[in-house]
Amino acid sequence: MTPSLAPILTPINAGSEQTGYLLVQANCIPNICDLRDQQEPGHRMKRFKNILYVADPVVEAGEAFERAVTLAEKNQARLTIAEVYETIPSFITRKTPQNLRNLVRDIRGSELSKLCRSVRNRVKVQSETFEGTFFLEVIRDVLRSGRDLVVKPAGGRHSGYGRLIGGDDMHLLRKCPCPVWLIKLPVAPSYSSILAAVDFDDEDEGGVKRALNLQILELSLAIAKAERSKLHICHAWKPPYENLMRNRAGLSYTEVDTYVAEVESGHRSRLDGLMNAVKEGAGREVYDAVRPTIHLERGNPRQVILALTETLHTDLVVMGTVGRV
């Protein structure tokens, strides 16, 4: 069973203030199982072509915005800058002589237009404003416009002090049908160390978890290659019921040790199989250029991810979540 997103991120929030997160959703895995760009020769990785940057009025459009622009530039992608403002209650608009809704839209639209003009010589860019519930309006735009990546500053309006994942971000991560890149401020000039976390599920019906793992790894390889970063790939494993077997099941230490070794061997075999698949999907040339380091770590996933994040001085963590719909 996939662990929920919140317990994985909670300790990371407290311990890795400079780490950003790219979270890959499994809501629409059937639509993203084919991770190859068939229009290019060989088996090149699918590039981002339609990026949505979600601006936040309380977060200055600086480093996070530049990261989105650079990503669009490198991928020759279309970039849309959007902002969602809260619905204006009807009792306010009835008492306001001017059309408050139009005024808010015009003011925010003017600010977004300035951002567009500042990068129009670098990327194909446009702006949009939406009124309503933040995560719902973003998801509706993703579905309506076929976005393949959402980028936004981490936190913002509804995040507590010192937290990376705010309420809006969490809703977006759980529901958004495309990858979401939360950029923690201040942004490092480049990502020197990236950690990709994968997980396996014995009851992976339809291959959803495998497709999710492949997308996590292909995204990580693409970013690491573009940023010339060191990529680390980790998988955490634990032998189920080990303590019970050692203390209450009447088994010898040798028998339990053999069981633990078999569990580890199974996880190693599945990880090796996944890496072979991603070499084929991403292309051996890309894989060999990045040369990722593999970490098969025994322990609780959230503790393993936190420990590696701190030990490796990770700038970006890429991991997935099976979305709730």
Side-chain angles (χ1 to χ4, degrees):
M1 195 63 140
T2 302
S4 65
L5 185 62
I8 293 178
L9 288 177
T10 298
I12 295 178
N13 291 341
S16 302
E17 296 180 355
Q18 302 306 316
T19 303
Y21 295 86
L22 173 54
L23 290 109
V24 183
Q25 188 59 275
N27 284 344
C28 294
I29 282 297
N31 296 329
I32 59 174
C33 284
D34 185 4
L35 297 176
R36 297 171 183 171
D37 189 343
Q38 301 295 342
Q39 297 178 347
E40 296 186 13
H43 297 319
R44 298 281 301 281
M45 285 180 293
K46 182 178 178 181
R47 291 170 177 258
F48 297 120
K49 293 299 182 185
N50 190 358
I51 299 172
L52 176 66
Y53 174 78
V54 184
D56 193 314
V58 302
V59 178
E60 183 179 352
E63 297 169 304
F65 176 61
E66 176 58 29
R67 174 69 63 177
V69 173
T70 301
L71 186 65
E73 199 173 22
K74 289 181 177 180
N75 285 269
Q76 298 180 334
R78 290 182 289 126
L79 177 65
T80 299
I81 309 168
E83 186 176 309
V84 181
Y85 57 90
E86 295 179 1
T87 301
I88 301 171
S90 58
F91 74 87
I92 294 180
T93 57
R94 284 198 303 266
K95 294 182 180 181
T96 305
Q98 57 183 312
N99 191 325
L100 188 60
R101 181 174 285 106
N102 288 343
L103 180 61
V104 172
R105 184 172 60 245
D106 291 345
I107 291 173
R108 298 314 309 158
S110 176
E111 292 299 318
L112 297 184
S113 294
K114 290 180 182 178
L115 287 178
C116 287
R117 289 195 296 271
S118 70
V119 297
R120 192 155 280 149
N121 63 331
R122 298 170 58 189
V123 294
K124 184 177 180 181
V125 62
Q126 64 180 17
S127 63
E128 298 277 2
T129 56
F130 306 110
E131 177 185 358
T133 303
F134 175 83
F135 74 95
L136 290 177
E137 295 305 318
V138 172
I139 291 171
R140 284 169 182 154
D141 178 73
V142 168
L143 294 171
R144 181 171 55 243
S145 303
R147 314 294 185 196
D148 49 29
L149 178 68
V150 174
V151 181
K152 75 175 295 291
R157 290 171 292 183
H158 299 131
S159 62
Y161 179 77
R163 291 177 58 196
L164 172 63
I165 305 297
D168 282 341
D169 291 348
M170 187 61 72
H171 283 302
L172 189 59
L173 294 172
R174 286 174 170 168
K175 302 290 186 180
C176 189
C178 75
V180 178
W181 192 337
L182 297 180
I183 298 180
K184 177 68 176 176
L185 302 177
V187 179
S190 63
Y191 292 131
S192 60
S193 178
I194 298 172
L195 176 66
V198 296
D199 189 22
F200 301 112
D201 190 342
D202 293 331
E203 300 177 0
D204 185 17
E205 297 182 6
V208 171
K209 179 60 70 67
R210 179 177 174 80
L212 180 61
N213 284 335
L214 285 171
Q215 194 186 29
I216 289 169
L217 294 181
E218 292 213 2
L219 287 173
S220 302
L221 283 164
I223 297 168
K225 187 173 185 297
E227 297 279 327
R228 298 182 179 178
S229 310
K230 180 63 180 176
L231 175 61
H232 298 267
I233 297 171
C234 79
H235 169 61
W237 67 280
K238 288 176 63 178
Y241 304 109
E242 179 189 6
N243 289 337
L244 183 63
M245 294 174 70
R246 288 194 185 281
N247 300 315
R248 303 288 295 275
L251 299 174
S252 68
Y253 275 94
T254 300
E255 289 174 312
V256 178
D257 287 343
T258 299
Y259 158 72
V260 171
E262 290 175 351
V263 172
E264 180 180 11
S265 177
H267 282 271
R268 186 178 302 280
S269 176
R270 296 173 77 174
L271 185 58
D272 289 343
L274 181 64
M275 299 314 301
N276 288 332
V278 82
K279 287 177 188 177
E280 179 183 354
R284 184 169 292 276
E285 179 183 348
V286 173
Y287 187 91
D288 290 343
V290 176
R291 298 181 63 184
T293 301
I294 311 301
H295 302 265
L296 181 64
E297 302 287 337
R298 180 175 174 177
N300 183 285
R302 55 184 171 184
Q303 295 172 347
V304 167
I305 293 172
L306 175 60
L308 287 174
T309 298
E310 294 179 341
T311 301
L312 302 172
H313 305 289
T314 302
D315 301 305
L316 177 69
V317 176
V318 185
M319 58 188 185
T321 173
V322 176
R324 303 174 179 87
V325 294

